[in-house]
Amino acid sequence: MLTIDQKLQIIQWHAVFCLDGNTKGGRNWKSALANRLGCKPSAITKWTKSGYSFSRKSTASEALAALQDEAFFDALLGQEEADAQKRPQLPTFTNANHYAHILRSVGLKLRAEGDAAAKKHDATLLRQRKRWRNFTKEYVYVAARPPDGDTGGVPLHPDEEREVRKIYDTLKEPAARQDGILPTVVSAAPHSGISHLLYRLFPLQPDVREYYPGGFHHLHLEALERMKDAGRVVKDKLIGEDVELHGADEKIKGWNRLIAEKLCMTGGLLIVHGASSAVEAGSKSLSFLVEIARNINKASQENFYTKRRCSRLLLIGWDLAGLGRLNNGNTKTVEFSPALNSGGEAFEYFKNCAEYYWQLRSDLSGQLPFELQRPANNSIKRVEHHYRIVDEEGFKPMPSSVRFRAFSVTDVHAPSPLDPTQGIWDRLNDELRSRVPEIYLALGDLQNYVRSLRPAKKENELEAIRLSSTALFQFSAEMHGRLIKNHAGLIGTTYEELDLTIFGSQGNFLRLNEGRKSLISPLLVRALIQDDWIEFGPEHRAAVHAAIAEELYTLTAENDLETMARVLPYSARRGNQQIFFALEAIRHFMRAARTASSEDKEKLTQKALETYDRFLEPGMFAASDEKAVSGKWRLSRAFGMDSLKFEALCLLSEDGYGNSPPIGLDKVRTARYFRELGITLTHNMRPAEALEAFHRAVPNTVPNSAEQAYVFSHQITAELDNGQIDKAKVSLARCREIEFGLPAESDSRNRIKERNKAREAAIALAEEGPPAARSMLPDLAEGGLTDYSGQRALLFIDAHLPPFPETEDADLTTLNQTLVATEQARTEAWRRGFKHERVRLSIRRARIYRLLGLPKAAVPVLERVGEELHRDGGSETAYREFQLASAETLLAIGQPGYAFAAYAWPAFQALDRLNVPARREFARRLCLHLLDKFNECEKLSEEDQNPFRQYIAETDRYVIHPSFSFRLLPSDDELSNFFEQFMTAAGRERYKQALIE
C-alpha cells in the first residue's frame, strides 16, 4: 500500500514534468515506478490522474506529451543527464507557488482520507485483537452420540459430569405451552472449562437422540471478528451459504427466523459460548441472541417440531443478570460450579491428570513415560504443598485449574513450569494444541471474559487481576503498599480500597486472602492474564514488573526477615532467605525486559545480572576472572540448589530457555554463562542438554586457554553420564594439548594437570571399573585424600568401593581407610561451607558402613540425609544416589521388597527418563537383584519395616519453600499397590521383563 508521502510525490513529479496532464506513452515509467514503490502500475495511474486538475492544460502535440512523459520517467529514475530536448520548460516561480498551493491542498485531502482509513484499519485490528491467539473455531457442529462414543482424553472429575448432567436436565425440562420454548442460561466461572465439557459430554447423554437428534451447534463469540457476524456464521453453517432471502426477508432478522425454525424442525441445540460478552458489548451485539430466542419461541407456538418442548438455545456466560433479560426475562437458569471438596481430593485428581499429560507428552516426544506416583520432582513437591494448604485457607479449586496445573508440571522443558509470568500461549505448539482441547478452549473462555474488563469501565478490577498475575504464589499487601509508596502513578488503588465484588460469583477467579493479606487467583488465570497484558498493555506491564523487581532487590539487600515473610510466605532452611528473593527479582527484571524497548531491555538485563552477581553467586558475571572465582558453585556446592540455579540462568537468557546468552555479554562472560549452564545441567542429570551448553561455551573461549580446558574438563563429566566414553577420551586429549602448551610449572598448568588426572581416572572407572581407576589415584596408605577438591574427593572414594552387587570380598583395611578419608572430606566440606557436598559424602559413608557389615549403622546416616533432602532439597544426582544407597541398605537388613518399591524402582524409572546410561544400568541391575531376593513373607504394615519414614513427620512442621525440596517416598497406599503385585511370581516376572527390555 502506498504511503501518503509516496502518493504526493507521484502527483508532484507528474504535475511538474507533464504539464498538460497527459500520460500517453507512459507505460514504461509507470512500470518502473511501480517496481520501485512495490505497488501495481494501476496505482501509479490512479495517483497521476489525481494531479490532472492541478496541471496546466496546453495545446502541445502528442509528441510533446510523449516527450514530457519521458522527461517525467527520467526524473523518477534520477537521470540527471536526460536529453534537454525531451525535458519541458520547468514552471516559473509563479507557477511553482501555484503548484505548491495545489500540492498542499491535495496533501490535506489525502491526509484526511488517510486518517479516516487508519481509524477504520485500527478499528478492524481492535476487533481482531479481541480474538488474539484464539485457536477456537467460530462454529463447530457435534452430532449426538458419535458412533465411536467418547473419544477419550484427559480424565474428567465426577463433579464436572454431575454439573453437566444438571445443565442437560434443565434443558429437557418442558416449559408450559403458553411459554413456548424457553432458552436456558448458564452462569459459569470464566475459567471453569465448560466449553470442553459440553463438547465432550453432551453428545453422550443417554437420551440425547430423543431430545436432540439434530445435534449441537457451538458458536464461540470470542472467535468472531465482529459480534454482528454471529447471525451470518450460524446461517451459513446451519442453513447454507447459497440460501437467498427475498423482499423483507433480506434483512438479518430473516436469517434469524430461518435459524430458529431449522433448530426446532431438526431438533438441534444452538450453544452460544461467551454470551455475556454480547451483553457487555451493548444492545446491537445482543440483538442476535434476542431475535433467536424470540423466533424460537414463535416457531414453537406455530407448531414447528413441538414433540419435545426442550430448550433450543443455550447461552453460556458469567452474568446471569445480564443474560436473564432475554425473552422478556422468561428463561431457565443454571449455575455451573464444579469444585473439589478438599486438598487431598484435588491432589489425587491432579495425579490422574498429570499421568495423562505425561503419557501424552511422551507419545509426542518419543520418550518413555515414568509413573508419577513416585517422582523426585520439585514441581510435584510444590503441588503437594499447594493442595495441602487448600483446606487451611478454605477455598475449593476447580477441576479445570487442577488440570492446567498438571499440564504445566509435565512440561519438563520449561525451566519454571509453574511460573505464570511466562504466559501460556507460547507453550502450546500446533501439535500439542491439537491434543489438548480442554486447555485451549478453557483459555478461550477465559480470554473472552478478560477482554470484557475494559479499563474505561472496570479499571480497578483489571488492575487487581493483573497485579495478582505477577506473583509466583500470591501478591501481598506489603508489595502492593510498596508500589503505591515508591512508584507514584503506577497503580491507582490501594490494597485497602480493592473492591472485588465483581469476582464474587466467579469461583475463586480472584480473591483476598485475609489471613496472609494477599491477592490470590488460580494459575490458569494468572498465566492467561500475563499474555493478555503483553498484548493490551505491554508498556504498563514492563513498568509494573520492573517496579516489583526493584522492590525485591531492595528487600534482598536489606535482608529484613520480618518484612520478607510478609512478601513471600516461605522460608529458607539453610539460613539464606536472600536466595529466593534474588531469584524473584531476576524473574521480574527479565519479564519486564520482554516488553521493554531495546535500550531498556539491555538495562533491565544488566540489573538482573547484577542481582545474580551480588546475591546468588558473587562475581560470576564480573568483568575480571579473579572476581568471578569468588562465588563459583555457591548454589550447587553449598546449597545443592541446582534447580534454582538452572531456573535463574534460564531467566537471564534472551529467550528464557538458556538457548541464547543474556543481552549485552561479551565473549568471555558468554563462555562463562554457557559453562555454568552446562555444569548445572550435569548436576541435574541432563547430560545431553549439558553438552549442548558446553558446545556453545567453547567457541567463546580463548583457544588453548586455561578457561577452555576448564570447559572441556566438565564436558568430560557430561559425556560420561551420557555414555559417550570415546568422546570423553577425545575431550581429555584436548585438555592434554592445552596442558602441554602452557608454561612449565605455571599455576594454570599444574591445576589443569591435576584435573586431567582425575578425569582420566573417571574415564577408567566408567570403562573398566574401580580397580583401573584406583591405579591412577594416590594410594590410600600414603595419605590418599589430602587436598579436598569436591568432585575429585567423591571420585577418590568411589574408586575404593566395590561395585554393586559386590563380586569380591571387600577388603576391611581398605574400607576402614576409605572411611577415614570420607570423614576427613566431610569435615573439610563442612569447614568450607559446602554443605551439599557433605550430604553426598554422607551417602558414601552409609555405603561403607554397609560394606563393613554394619547396615543398621547406615540407617541413621541415611535418615539424616533424607531429612536434609526432604527439607532443603538438593541436586538430582544427590537424590538418585540417596535412593540407590537406601535400597542397598534395606536389602542388607532383609527388606528387598520395600527397597524395590520405595527406592530402587522409582530411581530406575527416573534415570531411564533422564537417559543417564551408566547410572541407569546400575539401577537396573539393582532392581533385578532385589526381585530375585524378594521375600514373599515381607509385610508393610509394621512400623519397624519403614526405617526411613520418621523424618517425614519431623520435617512436615517446617514452612519451607516448596520449589526446591523433594518428595522422597511413595505413600503407604502406593507401596501397598506395589506389594499386591509382588505377591505372585507372575507379578514379579512382569517387572523383570520390563527391566530386561
Side-chain angles (χ1 to χ4, degrees):
M1 181 181 291
L2 293 173
T3 67
I4 293 173
D5 289 335
Q6 287 173 328
K7 295 172 184 175
L8 284 172
Q9 194 173 37
I10 293 170
I11 294 172
Q12 181 179 18
W13 283 339
H14 192 266
V16 170
F17 292 105
C18 302
L19 302 182
D20 65 347
N22 204 330
T23 60
K24 184 176 180 179
R27 178 176 298 176
N28 290 336
W29 63 259
K30 290 176 185 177
S31 298
L33 184 58
N35 289 336
R36 173 168 293 189
L37 297 179
C39 63
K40 295 181 180 179
S42 58
I44 304 298
T45 300
K46 173 184 177 181
W47 291 105
T48 52
K49 286 181 178 178
S50 298
Y52 284 179
S53 60
F54 307 112
S55 301
R56 283 190 307 161
K57 297 294 181 181
S58 71
T59 58
S61 66
E62 292 184 0
L64 178 59
L67 288 176
Q68 290 172 339
D69 278 343
E70 289 184 31
F72 182 30
F73 177 52
D74 292 340
L76 291 176
L77 298 182
Q79 296 178 9
E80 296 180 2
E81 302 299 327
D83 190 335
Q85 292 182 355
K86 296 180 180 180
R87 186 180 300 280
Q89 185 69 33
L90 293 179
T92 63
F93 179 77
T94 304
N95 287 335
N97 288 339
H98 171 69
Y99 286 125
H101 171 72
I102 290 172
L103 288 170
R104 279 195 298 273
S105 301
V106 175
L108 291 173
K109 179 181 178 182
L110 285 176
R111 292 187 190 284
E113 292 176 356
D115 289 343
K119 288 179 180 178
K120 184 177 180 180
H121 182 63
D122 289 345
T124 301
L125 286 179
L126 190 60
R127 289 194 303 271
Q128 292 172 342
R129 289 175 76 190
K130 180 187 174 187
R131 55 190 290 251
W132 68 275
R133 289 185 178 179
N134 194 334
F135 305 108
T136 308
K137 294 181 180 178
E138 300 168 348
Y139 170 91
V140 178
Y141 172 74
V142 181
R145 189 175 287 279
D148 54 354
D150 189 2
T151 56
V154 67
L156 301 179
H157 191 268
D159 200 48
E160 291 179 306
E161 297 178 359
R162 285 191 293 271
E163 289 290 306
V164 170
R165 181 68 195 187
K166 182 173 71 175
I167 296 174
Y168 185 74
D169 288 342
T170 304
L171 287 170
K172 294 193 306 178
E173 291 175 0
R177 178 164 292 275
Q178 65 270 19
D179 291 332
I181 294 180
L182 301 182
T184 297
V185 177
V186 176
S187 172
H191 59 299
S192 65
I194 188 172
S195 291
H196 172 69
L197 298 173
L198 298 186
Y199 269 90
R200 186 166 161 187
L201 296 179
F202 261 13
L204 304 178
Q205 299 303 313
D207 51 2
V208 67
R209 287 192 180 276
E210 183 178 352
Y211 285 88
Y212 293 104
F216 303 96
H217 306 269
H218 295 266
L219 176 67
H220 292 268
L221 294 185
E222 75 274 9
L224 295 172
E225 181 178 326
R226 295 169 298 201
M227 200 73 70
K228 68 180 182 181
D229 291 336
R232 176 187 55 78
V233 169
V234 178
K235 171 259 180 185
D236 289 347
K237 300 295 183 180
L238 193 63
I239 302 172
E241 296 182 16
D242 56 344
V243 174
E244 295 184 2
L245 301 175
H246 301 283
D249 279 345
E250 289 180 353
K251 297 180 180 179
I252 292 180
K253 289 184 179 181
W255 292 354
N256 294 338
R257 178 178 59 78
L258 290 180
I259 291 170
E261 291 177 357
K262 183 82 170 188
L263 289 170
C264 291
M265 294 178 68
T266 60
L269 176 67
L270 176 61
I271 305 173
V272 181
H273 299 274
S276 290
S277 61
V279 178
E280 297 281 350
S283 57
K284 289 185 179 180
S285 300
L286 189 60
S287 62
F288 165 68
L289 302 181
V290 172
E291 287 297 316
I292 288 290
R294 185 181 66 80
N295 279 288
I296 288 175
N297 194 307
K298 183 179 179 181
S300 68
Q301 293 174 348
E302 294 175 356
N303 297 316
F304 281 102
Y305 199 80
T306 56
K307 179 181 178 182
R308 294 291 182 185
R309 304 184 66 76
C310 52
S311 296
R312 299 295 165 198
L313 177 63
L314 175 61
L315 305 178
I316 310 297
W318 52 82
D319 179 17
L320 275 178
L323 292 174
R325 296 197 297 269
L326 269 71
N327 204 36
N328 296 320
N330 198 7
T331 62
K332 295 184 285 187
T333 59
V334 188
E335 288 195 13
F336 177 79
S337 56
L340 298 144
N341 294 319
S342 68
E345 183 184 0
F347 188 57
E348 288 303 313
Y349 180 60
F350 164 83
K351 290 191 293 184
N352 292 336
C353 294
E355 280 189 354
Y356 170 81
Y357 289 126
W358 274 122
Q359 185 66 58
L360 173 62
R361 292 183 187 274
S362 297
D363 291 344
L364 293 175
S365 65
Q367 296 178 341
L368 293 174
F370 75 101
E371 291 185 29
L372 191 70
Q373 279 86 348
R374 286 159 287 282
N377 185 297
N378 294 348
S379 298
I380 303 300
K381 177 70 182 179
R382 188 190 302 184
V383 171
E384 189 174 23
H385 182 91
H386 170 78
Y387 288 123
R388 188 186 304 161
I389 64 173
V390 162
D391 296 328
E392 299 174 9
E393 299 188 353
F395 71 93
K396 296 180 180 181
M398 284 193 164
S400 58
S401 298
V402 176
R403 276 196 295 272
F404 181 76
R405 191 173 290 270
F407 174 79
S408 300
V409 162
T410 55
D411 185 2
V412 295
H413 299 293
S416 313
L418 294 175
D419 175 11
T421 62
Q422 65 189 314
I424 179 57
W425 283 121
D426 288 343
R427 295 167 66 181
L428 283 173
N429 60 45
D430 291 340
E431 185 178 28
L432 182 59
R433 187 170 57 249
S434 65
R435 302 285 294 273
V436 289
E438 69 278 0
I439 299 297
Y440 77 77
L441 283 172
L443 291 171
D445 292 343
L446 177 56
Q447 190 171 288
N448 193 20
Y449 174 70
V450 174
R451 286 293 83 232
S452 75
L453 299 175
R454 294 188 297 277
K457 293 184 178 180
K458 299 172 182 175
E459 182 175 358
N460 293 341
E461 291 85 352
L462 183 61
E463 179 180 270
I465 193 62
R466 283 177 169 178
L467 289 175
S468 175
S469 74
T470 64
L472 193 63
F473 301 108
Q474 54 196 32
F475 186 78
S476 67
E478 176 71 26
M479 180 59 71
H480 200 138
R482 294 175 77 94
L483 293 182
I484 290 284
K485 178 181 177 182
N486 301 329
H487 304 272
L490 186 62
I491 57 178
T493 308
T494 66
Y495 183 83
E496 291 73 22
E497 293 171 341
L498 286 175
D499 180 8
L500 305 185
T501 53
I502 186 177
F503 304 116
S505 61
Q506 306 305 341
N508 294 313
F509 184 87
L510 179 66
R511 62 191 178 84
L512 292 175
N513 184 322
E514 295 298 340
R516 294 180 183 267
K517 295 293 182 184
S518 58
L519 280 170
I520 298 178
S521 59
L523 178 66
L524 168 65
V525 174
R526 284 177 282 148
L528 190 280
I529 290 293
Q530 282 287 309
D531 274 333
D532 183 84
W533 203 357
I534 289 171
E535 188 72 15
F536 295 99
E539 298 85 1
H540 184 238
R541 175 184 177 275
V544 170
H545 275 290
I548 293 173
E550 292 288 354
E551 294 303 321
L552 289 168
Y553 183 93
T554 301
L555 285 167
T556 310
E558 293 173 350
N559 201 23
D560 181 347
L561 296 181
E562 185 177 341
T563 304
M564 287 172 146
R566 292 197 297 270
V567 173
L568 187 67
Y570 299 107
S571 59
R573 288 302 306 157
R574 284 195 169 126
N576 201 332
Q577 187 75 350
Q578 289 177 306
I579 289 176
F580 298 132
F581 274 77
L583 176 67
E584 293 312 302
I586 291 171
R587 187 188 315 280
H588 287 284
F589 277 129
M590 297 310 297
R591 297 309 184 213
R594 178 177 176 180
T595 53
S597 64
S598 298
E599 182 180 355
D600 289 341
K601 189 186 296 287
E602 185 166 347
K603 290 179 180 177
L604 289 163
T605 303
Q606 291 304 312
K607 190 68 175 179
L609 288 167
E610 178 191 333
T611 306
Y612 189 100
D613 267 5
R614 181 175 177 184
F615 301 114
L616 296 184
E617 293 187 311
M620 179 59 71
F621 296 107
S624 67
D625 288 337
E626 291 77 11
K627 289 183 179 180
V629 171
S630 62
K632 194 183 297 180
W633 299 325
R634 176 172 178 258
L635 290 176
S636 55
R637 298 184 72 177
F639 301 111
M641 291 184 174
D642 291 286
S643 295
L644 185 147
K645 181 175 179 178
F646 173 64
E647 185 173 353
L649 291 173
C650 287
L651 285 170
L652 289 170
S653 70
E654 186 173 4
D655 71 339
Y657 284 84
N659 297 316
S660 54
I663 296 173
L665 289 189
D666 55 25
K667 290 192 69 174
V668 172
R669 290 186 290 171
T670 297
R672 204 180 297 158
Y673 171 81
F674 283 121
R675 179 199 72 199
E676 290 303 310
L677 184 63
I679 293 171
T680 304
L681 284 165
T682 303
H683 291 169
N684 284 325
M685 286 193 168
R686 297 165 69 172
E689 296 168 76
L691 289 173
E692 292 180 9
F694 290 132
H695 293 161
R696 291 189 180 103
V698 170
N700 287 287
T701 58
V702 177
N704 301 315
S705 64
E707 171 62 20
Q708 192 173 77
Y710 186 55
V711 174
F712 278 125
S713 180
H714 282 286
Q715 184 172 304
I716 291 170
T717 303
E719 286 166 337
L720 291 176
D721 281 348
N722 209 34
Q724 300 172 321
I725 294 177
D726 290 340
K727 289 188 176 182
K729 290 178 179 179
V730 173
S731 297
L732 179 61
R734 288 288 296 116
C735 290
R736 292 288 192 202
E737 290 176 13
I738 296 172
E739 174 192 340
F740 297 138
L742 294 174
E745 304 305 323
S746 66
D747 290 341
S748 295
R749 178 165 177 169
N750 289 334
R751 284 195 298 270
I752 294 173
K753 180 180 179 180
E754 290 302 314
R755 272 203 307 269
N756 289 345
K757 285 181 179 179
R759 294 303 187 266
E760 184 179 18
I763 292 172
L765 181 64
E767 187 174 30
E768 303 176 52
R774 283 199 294 270
S775 66
M776 300 178 183
L777 294 168
D779 190 77
L780 273 171
E782 297 176 1
L785 189 64
T786 54
D787 179 32
Y788 180 79
S789 53
Q791 289 290 336
R792 274 173 276 172
L794 295 168
L795 171 65
F796 183 91
I797 295 167
D798 289 343
H800 288 85
L801 298 178
F804 181 88
E806 292 79 10
T807 56
E808 57 184 73
D809 292 333
D811 181 75
L812 295 182
T813 301
T814 300
L815 286 175
N816 279 305
Q817 290 176 333
T818 306
L819 181 60
V820 172
T822 304
E823 293 296 348
Q824 290 173 345
R826 290 179 67 250
T827 301
E828 186 64 17
W830 184 264
R831 188 183 69 81
R832 297 191 184 196
F834 297 148
K835 299 174 185 177
H836 186 62
E837 286 188 354
R838 187 172 183 269
V839 168
R840 295 187 65 192
L841 289 164
S842 294
I843 294 171
R844 285 152 179 79
R845 179 190 183 199
R847 289 195 66 203
I848 295 171
Y849 280 147
R850 179 183 58 79
L851 291 168
L852 286 170
L854 302 170
K856 290 189 177 181
V859 169
V861 176
L862 291 171
E863 281 183 350
R864 179 63 181 170
V865 170
E867 179 183 344
E868 292 195 39
L869 289 174
H870 177 76
R871 183 186 64 199
D872 302 323
S875 67
E876 190 83 18
T877 303
Y879 180 60
R880 302 306 164 195
E881 290 175 346
F882 165 76
Q883 282 182 308
L884 296 172
S886 299
E888 292 173 320
T889 302
L890 282 169
L891 172 64
I893 61 177
Q895 297 179 23
Y898 191 84
F900 180 91
Y903 295 103
W905 177 247
F908 169 76
Q909 289 180 301
L911 292 169
D912 183 69
R913 173 180 59 86
L914 292 166
N915 194 20
V916 190
R919 296 178 187 269
R920 178 184 58 198
E921 176 59 20
F922 177 89
R924 189 185 72 84
R925 288 189 289 109
L926 176 58
C927 284
L928 288 170
H929 187 76
L930 290 169
L931 286 174
D932 289 337
K933 298 291 185 181
F934 180 69
N935 178 6
E936 293 187 9
C937 298
E938 188 176 348
K939 302 295 182 183
L940 187 66
S941 57
E942 299 177 16
E943 290 187 5
D944 59 357
Q945 298 292 106
N946 308 341
F948 302 147
R949 294 194 71 83
Q950 65 183 35
Y951 62 76
I952 298 293
E954 293 176 0
T955 56
D956 275 348
R957 67 177 181 270
Y958 295 121
V959 183
I960 56 174
H961 194 292
S963 303
F964 306 102
S965 56
F966 286 107
R967 180 188 180 210
L968 290 174
L969 291 173
S971 68
D972 285 339
D973 289 341
E974 293 162 352
L975 288 174
S976 295
N977 291 334
F978 263 123
F979 272 76
E980 288 178 8
Q981 299 174 57
F982 295 160
M983 287 301 108
T984 64
R988 295 193 292 276
E989 187 61 29
R990 282 196 296 271
Y991 278 96
K992 284 186 179 181
Q993 289 302 315
L995 289 162
I996 292 171
E997 293 172 1

